[in-house]
Amino acid sequence: IHDNGYVTLPGVEFFVNEAPKTTQWTLQNNTVYATTAELDKGMPFNGPPEVDAGPDVRTDKPTVCLAGTVRDDGRTAKPLTVRWEVLEGAGTVTFRDPASPQTEADFSPPGDYLLRLVADDGELWLSDLVAVHVLPPGVSVAAAWEFNKPLDKEGWTEVNTGTQLREWTHPLWSAWSAISHPVKYVAGGYYLVAVENSPDAHLLSGDNLSVDLIGRKTIKLRFQNHTPATRMRFRFTTEADPAWQDANSKTFDVTPNDNGPHDYTVDMSTVPGWTGRLKQLRLDLATGAELSGTCRLDYLWISN
Ligand SMILES: [Ca+2]
Ligand SMILES: [Ca+2]
């Protein structure tokens, strides 16, 4: 690597040798920059546009104001171009101005839509996703968890999943040994959890949610159940009734070994304790029998 001729990809600031036994290199005649700001001044490379597609939208109106933002360093001769794309959707999306990060768009029919905002400076492009949920008229959401930011569990945790860290030791080459970590993270718009031989695997929300349950009788969730379970269960505590009790629960049917996500609407109005202010919510993936498999939770919300 000489004359600073090696350029890392945008966003990658360090170059690490992950294979020291099989790779080596030398450094010659490179200028050392103490900070990334000095490097940027000394070697002004074009950076990709910064794109933010705006917060996720839940509304019962068919017309939505999309609030994206785009910025670029302007280091290419070509103009910055912006476009909206529909990745998934229940129907048609009509953008008033598909080349503007801030625009109104019409969604028909109601349902879940996943949009992508792309910004391209002529050399590099980046994109960001936004979920738009157009609800039936009159439906409003009191609390929602979308799991659309990578690694952000939005206060939820997985409990008693039964999974373990596994290590494979190569008999000759220690560098070829591997460690397998249990799956329990948010990526690609989903909260993914692996379960292994656990009778009590569950997802637990943050505590002290303080969600007003008056008139909010529905839990809606969209997820893929890739386990043999045919039933799952919500349990909850409220501010008036903060201890976990069997009565404060609702079991619902799920599709076992599902190859894709399904929508579930759970009617909580049949549970007398579902009133006042919600303190904590848990989703029992396993309900007493040992369970193995994976679950991919797309979103979960509480509505009227
Ligand atoms: Ca640029
Ligand atoms: Ca999601």
Side-chain angles (χ1 to χ4, degrees), residues 146-148 189 298:
E146 297 257 3
F147 309 112
N148 287 348
D298 184 348

Side-chain angles (χ1 to χ4, degrees), residues 74-192:
R75 285 176 176 166
T76 54
K78 292 169 189 164
L80 182 71
T81 58
V82 173
R83 66 178 185 274
W84 284 99
E85 297 173 348
V86 182
L87 295 189
E88 294 172 15
T92 307
V93 185
T94 308
F95 300 97
R96 302 284 166 86
D97 184 354
S100 169
Q102 283 148 37
T103 181
E104 288 191 330
D106 300 309
F107 295 78
S108 177
D112 297 328
Y113 294 80
L114 185 64
L115 309 181
R116 182 165 83 152
L117 179 62
V118 183
D120 187 342
D121 71 5
E123 287 181 0
L124 302 168
W125 63 271
L126 278 181
S127 65
D128 190 33
L129 303 179
V130 60
V132 177
H133 306 284
V134 180
L135 310 169
V139 174
S140 65
V141 171
W145 299 269
E146 297 257 3
F147 309 112
N148 287 348
K149 282 202 197 78
L151 305 181
D152 183 359
K153 293 180 184 172
E154 301 180 35
W156 288 73
T157 48
E158 62 289 325
V159 183
N160 292 341
T161 56
T163 52
Q164 295 171 30
L165 195 115
R166 289 231 172 78
E167 289 182 75
W168 287 274
T169 309
H170 193 278
L172 298 176
W173 306 90
S174 64
W176 288 7
S177 298
I179 297 176
S180 168
H181 294 268
V183 170
K184 45 178 184 179
Y185 52 81
V186 170
Y190 287 87
Y191 185 2
L192 297 110

